[in-house]
Amino acid sequence: MTDVAIKRALLSVSDKTGVVELAGRLAKGGVELVSTGGTARALREAGLDVLDVSDITGFPEMMDGRVKTLHPNVHGGLLAVRDDEDHRAAMEAHDIGAIDLLVVNLYPFEETVARGASREDVVENIDIGGPAMVRSASKNHQFVTIVTDPDDYGELLDELAEHDGATTLAFRTRMAAKAFAKTASYDAAIANWFAFGDAFTNPLGTEALKATPFVDKLPLAFTKGDELRYGENPHMAAAVYLPQASTAQGIPQAEQVQGKALSYNNYNDADAALELVAEFAGGEPAVVIVKHANPCGVAQSSGLLEAWQDALACDPVSAFGGIVATNAPLDGATAEAICAIFTEVVIAPGADDAARKAFAAKPNLRLLLLDELPDPARAGFQMKSITGGMLLQSRDGGVIGADDLKVVTKRQPTAQEVADALFAWKVAKHVKSNAIVYAKDGVTAGIGAGQMNRRDSSRIAAQRAREAAETAGWNEPRTVGSAVASDAFFPFADGLLSAVEAGATVVIQPGGSMRDEEVIAAADEAGIAMVFTGMRHFRH
């Protein structure tokens, strides 16, 4: 059998968007309507004749609607193989009518979780009968049409119009595949809530639920967003997938005001810029410039334009073709300054009319606006695909303040050195390892990223600072009198000595090396201050 005429339809939806119009069109085509609860009421209020599910099951809806469709007269009507003699005989013997079309969408479980509902409400919004019917109809797609998405109602009606009130096997197969993906996604959301969210609302508490944040089975479900032109390279395919419930606004949720579609590399670099600028949320105006997922200039100042100028001065060569992120709404003067060099993407929590006008003169520049910056200390997980498996880790939400620092040298750092050290530390957290960051007066002086040894990162960062000074015409590089941050401990004193040679007066690092005493002794001999954080920020 290929085409199947629709003679009876069961409609049971939580999202009632378009369902009255759909039912009206079906009724005009001579389709008998069967429905449940609120859906049936909505259809009757629209003047449609509807048969209650309880009329075909012989049982009333009960237990606050928990039990209504879990009945042989429903599932028999969905699962019966119509050309099987035994199945037909069973339908006749038990007075089971065939259901040719099932229109279902499920209780809003994810929306209920997202609005911070109580545990009782969350559990109550776990749909049981809906997924059971969806799976029954989808399994029997040889004979039954299943529709789970209101966006598909129009296509269903077109299908019926083109095939004299019937659907084709190709259509039913495609809808069944979509429906199985829907129930898989729905179950994944429930499983992940029990695994990662229930601990926050369960009266038993976190410890009673689990001893580890990592479950034995990790169901993942994402919805496809945009397909991209290609991946990191033109021979690679790419797409953006969105999580079921996002805990923070990111690049996929941003409003793109103008510019070309984002590429794979744009997404990756823009995410790196957003994560770093979020470290400065709520503080003085800050600007981050990122190139190839590494910051090449970061500055914080009393004004956004000044912050941009200082960030750009750190490494104007690398800033060409980079990604810019700010922690404050963009103004016209800053936008015009950004437009003075080639910039791929700009991300900000707002932009005034003058800024939008300035960017409009650069139609290829992508301007992304967010309502708010993500919380850098938020909980969450990061995933990385490897050959033969997947790595999962909690995200690096580590935050260090002045009270967390341990002074390990004879010389105590000044208040300004502590401020510079903490600024450099925030930036180093977002630089690929091995990471070295020099900073002074809220401005990065030099950044060394992604080297195989820490000494080379120190030297590269210092060299960048010297080149910046030459370009700007300064008397000396900004590394003189600066703080230097290292994302991990110095295994030898040579990396520290390179920083001393560059002019750093205070070092901030995790500590924990077997040669800490040697490194501390080298700092003391050089007369600089050094503080330990006790926290490492590797970023591979």
Side-chain angles (χ1 to χ4, degrees):
M1 178 180 289
T2 302
D3 289 5
V4 174
I6 305 298
K7 299 178 181 179
R8 174 187 266 188
L10 171 54
L11 300 90
S12 180
V13 295
S14 292
D15 178 1
K16 299 189 173 44
T17 303
V19 72
V20 171
E21 180 184 355
L22 172 64
R25 296 278 294 276
L26 292 173
K28 285 182 181 179
V31 177
E32 181 184 34
L33 304 179
V34 182
S35 192
T36 62
T39 307
R41 285 193 297 273
L43 299 185
R44 287 197 179 97
E45 289 172 1
L48 297 172
D49 291 330
V50 182
L51 191 66
D52 285 321
V53 164
S54 58
D55 293 332
I56 66 174
T57 63
F59 280 86
E61 293 186 16
M62 62 182 72
M63 301 177 185
D64 298 320
R66 283 188 170 201
V67 179
K68 52 191 173 188
T69 59
L70 296 170
H71 192 279
N73 282 1
V74 173
H75 288 273
L78 293 170
L79 283 167
V81 177
R82 311 298 167 78
D83 57 6
D84 184 291
E85 291 185 9
D86 290 340
H87 285 210
R88 289 203 305 270
M91 293 176 75
E92 292 175 8
H94 298 285
D95 194 23
I96 297 174
I99 298 172
D100 307 304
L101 168 65
L102 178 68
V103 179
V104 167
N105 52 62
L106 309 178
Y107 290 175
F109 175 82
E110 296 159 59
E111 293 83 350
T112 304
V113 172
R115 64 179 170 82
S118 67
R119 185 176 194 274
E120 181 181 1
D121 285 344
V122 170
V123 171
E124 198 59 37
N125 276 276
I126 297 175
D127 203 330
I128 302 301
M133 288 193 295
V134 169
R135 291 176 63 81
S136 292
S138 301
K139 176 177 180 175
N140 203 28
H141 62 274
Q142 186 78 17
F143 304 97
V144 179
T145 304
I146 172 66
V147 176
T148 57
D149 187 345
D151 289 342
D152 292 328
Y153 292 172
E155 188 175 355
L156 168 64
L157 292 171
D158 290 343
E159 176 84 357
L160 294 174
E162 291 174 12
H163 299 281
D164 298 322
T167 60
T168 61
L169 179 59
F171 178 81
R172 295 193 302 276
T173 301
R174 185 157 52 84
M175 291 295 103
K178 187 171 183 177
F180 274 124
K182 176 61 181 177
T183 57
S185 172
Y186 193 78
D187 286 341
I190 295 169
N192 286 330
W193 176 75
F194 273 108
F196 305 120
D198 189 25
F200 299 105
T201 54
N202 195 304
L204 296 176
T206 306
E207 293 184 4
L209 288 173
K210 57 195 176 186
T212 171
F214 302 107
V215 293
D216 292 334
K217 300 289 184 181
L218 179 65
L220 298 177
F222 290 79
T223 301
K224 189 177 78 170
D226 295 331
E227 286 194 26
L228 309 181
R229 285 180 299 159
Y230 51 79
E232 282 186 288
N233 300 291
H235 64 279
M236 301 162 69
V240 178
Y241 278 80
L242 307 178
Q244 291 171 301
S246 178
T247 58
Q249 287 195 49
I251 302 305
Q253 288 77 34
E255 174 195 1
Q256 183 167 352
V257 176
Q258 65 168 61
K260 299 182 294 184
L262 294 171
S263 70
Y264 180 96
N265 292 333
N266 290 154
Y267 270 105
N268 192 48
D269 292 346
D271 178 67
L274 177 63
E275 288 280 22
L276 175 48
V277 84
E279 299 279 356
F280 303 99
E284 287 192 324
V287 171
V288 169
I289 308 173
V290 163
K291 188 71 171 290
H292 294 176
N294 270 310
C296 56
V298 182
Q300 195 167 21
S301 185
S302 57
L304 199 60
L305 178 58
E306 291 78 9
W308 159 256
Q309 292 168 339
D310 284 338
L312 177 63
C314 178
D315 187 355
V317 174
S318 297
F320 184 84
I323 310 290
V324 176
T326 70
N327 71 342
L330 289 154
D331 58 81
T334 305
E336 289 179 4
I338 293 172
C339 289
I341 71 166
F342 172 50
T343 302
E344 290 274 10
V345 182
V346 177
I347 311 133
D352 65 18
D353 291 341
R356 291 174 184 243
K357 182 179 179 180
F359 287 127
K362 299 285 186 179
N364 287 335
L365 181 148
R366 292 91 157 177
L367 175 60
L368 306 178
L369 300 182
L370 286 164
D371 293 332
E372 60 183 7
L373 298 178
D375 178 4
R378 69 189 184 277
F381 290 89
Q382 295 173 318
M383 293 179 291
K384 178 179 176 61
S385 174
I386 59 173
T387 303
M390 180 83 74
L391 295 175
L392 182 72
Q393 67 173 349
S394 58
R395 66 178 304 278
D396 186 354
V399 176
I400 291 294
D403 293 340
D404 301 306
L405 302 179
K406 178 184 177 183
V407 179
V408 294
T409 50
K410 295 175 182 177
R411 186 169 83 73
Q412 296 286 316
T414 66
Q416 182 60 51
E417 285 177 329
V418 169
D420 287 340
L422 290 173
F423 179 89
W425 182 253
K426 284 183 180 180
V427 177
K429 174 183 174 183
H430 296 268
V431 177
K432 300 292 185 182
S433 300
N434 289 309
I436 293 292
V437 175
Y438 294 91
K440 182 180 180 180
D441 298 328
V443 179
T444 52
I447 300 172
Q451 299 306 303
M452 287 68 74
N453 67 74
R454 202 158 299 279
R455 183 196 63 184
D456 285 354
S457 289
S458 295
R459 290 174 174 174
I460 289 171
Q463 176 62 28
R464 294 268 169 80
R466 289 193 293 272
E467 291 175 355
E470 291 172 3
T471 300
W474 301 329
N475 292 329
E476 59 185 13
R478 283 177 167 168
T479 51
V480 176
S482 69
V484 61
S486 174
D487 64 341
F489 60 66
F490 285 101
F492 302 98
D494 55 359
L496 180 137
L497 293 175
S498 294
V500 171
E501 184 180 340
T505 60
V506 63
V507 176
I508 183 170
Q509 60 136 317
S513 168
M514 292 176 60
R515 294 183 174 84
D516 273 350
E517 293 304 319
E518 175 186 326
V519 176
I520 293 170
D524 283 334
E525 185 176 350
I528 67 171
M530 184 160 62
V531 295
F532 283 2
T533 64
M535 179 183 292
R536 190 179 75 184
H537 282 311
F538 268 160
R539 193 176 188 88
H540 290 107

